[in-house]
Amino acid sequence: MRIARFSVDDEPRYGVVETDDPEGLTGTVSVLDSDPLYRPVQFTGEKLQLADVRLLAPVIPRSKVVCVGRNYAAHAEELGNDVPAEPLIFLKPNTSVIGPRDGIVYPEQTNNLHFEGELAIVIGRICRDLPKERVNEVIFGYTIANDVTARDLQKSDGQWARAKGYDTFCPLGPWISTELDVSDLRVSTQVNGEPKQDGRTSQFIFGIPEVLAYITSFTTLLPGDVVLTGTPAGVGPMLPGDEVAISVEGIGTLTNKVIVRD
């Protein structure tokens, strides 16, 4: 099931998407009566054309976005970093989240803004001290993320809150796929149609069970929290006017354009 958050006017709504288009520009959405994270799926009977709605970020994290750094060996190597001995965790604020086709704002404080395409996990249940064998019980579904990073600020600051945390630095979408085998999915990124990243989730250093067990050993995850699982090799700069399209096999494609704030 593909669950989208969308609007027709100003009011966010939820629906189940039926489409063959990876970005959801064509197809239909069957409207739900409420947020399916908190209530069972119940259809209203209304069906809309995707061309007539605006897809929003499929979830606004209730408290946090938790990210795993350097979870592909080749990505760690390309930046001159060692492979971590345990999951390297950092946070993004929920104010960094935007949706499909929303603009990624290029801050004036950076000269080296990078894309990082990733598989993202949407948490469906409160969990703490989660055993690895029970991770599937707390996962609501999966979506696509761009862990936008000001690479020069990441280096100069020595910690990553500013480099990773600007408004618009966490595009999510286009929807949540609730039934998906994520053991070996292709994760790829294109900038202006040119291939940049091409990896597979089977290349994770730390798999999803290890990641969620590690995160919940020190913090509680809440319904709607999002976990970014790491990016393959091939990260690089993006400039105002560039269009970044991140695809995850079995989910779809998340596309955003880099803009300068007016």
Side-chain angles (χ1 to χ4, degrees):
M1 185 179 294
R2 295 168 171 169
I3 294 179
R5 182 170 165 266
F6 68 93
S7 67
V8 177
D9 37 44
D10 292 330
E11 186 69 25
R13 304 170 76 183
Y14 298 86
V16 173
V17 170
E18 297 178 17
T19 182
D20 294 324
D21 183 345
E23 295 188 67
L25 300 178
T26 60
T28 63
V29 56
S30 298
V31 181
L32 302 176
D33 69 346
S34 62
D35 185 346
L37 262 171
Y38 303 106
R39 290 184 59 186
V41 168
Q42 183 68 45
F43 293 96
T44 66
E46 184 180 6
K47 184 174 284 191
L48 303 173
Q49 296 297 313
L50 282 170
D52 297 330
V53 309
R54 177 190 173 200
L55 290 177
L56 307 174
V59 61
I60 297 296
R62 184 171 175 177
S63 64
K64 54 193 172 294
V65 179
V66 187
C67 309
V68 185
R70 302 170 190 165
N71 201 23
Y72 288 77
H75 170 58
E77 181 180 354
E78 72 177 345
L79 295 181
N81 297 309
D82 294 332
V83 173
E86 57 185 8
L88 176 61
I89 304 299
F90 61 94
L91 302 177
K92 282 180 177 277
N94 57 11
T95 49
S96 66
V97 171
I98 57 174
R101 297 286 169 182
D102 289 340
I104 300 169
V105 176
Y106 199 114
E108 62 182 13
Q109 296 89 347
T110 182
N111 294 305
N112 194 15
L113 192 67
H114 279 209
F115 56 84
E116 295 190 9
E118 309 197 11
L119 172 73
I121 306 165
V122 180
I123 300 300
R125 292 176 56 186
I126 296 174
C127 51
R128 175 70 200 268
D129 294 321
L130 182 67
K132 288 187 286 187
E133 60 271 15
R134 297 188 63 184
V135 296
N136 288 336
E137 298 177 22
V138 307
I139 295 174
F140 180 75
Y142 301 89
T143 191
I144 303 170
N146 187 349
D147 176 19
V148 178
T149 304
R151 195 69 71 196
D152 48 354
L153 301 184
Q154 185 182 27
K155 182 177 181 180
S156 65
D157 288 359
Q159 53 78 35
W160 302 356
R162 184 166 68 132
K164 301 275 193 176
Y166 278 90
D167 291 355
T168 76
F169 272 26
C170 190
L172 297 176
W175 42 65
I176 300 169
S177 292
T178 60
E179 300 169 11
L180 191 64
D181 178 358
V182 298
S183 58
D184 186 31
L185 299 180
R186 185 183 185 192
V187 180
S188 60
T189 301
Q190 294 187 349
V191 177
N192 301 326
E194 181 181 350
K196 296 293 185 179
Q197 293 183 282
D198 196 353
R200 304 196 70 88
T201 56
S202 55
Q203 298 169 330
F204 285 156
I205 298 169
F206 303 103
I208 289 172
E210 290 78 16
V211 164
L212 292 187
Y214 185 83
I215 292 169
T216 60
S217 72
F218 67 86
T219 190
T220 299
L221 291 174
L222 303 178
D225 282 352
V226 175
V227 177
L228 275 55
T229 57
T231 195
V235 301
M238 50 187 183
L239 298 171
D242 285 347
E243 186 174 82
V244 182
I246 300 167
S247 299
V248 176
E249 185 180 2
I251 300 179
T253 299
L254 169 67
T255 300
N256 298 90
K257 199 164 199 176
V258 184
I259 64 172
V260 176
R261 190 183 302 277
D262 294 336

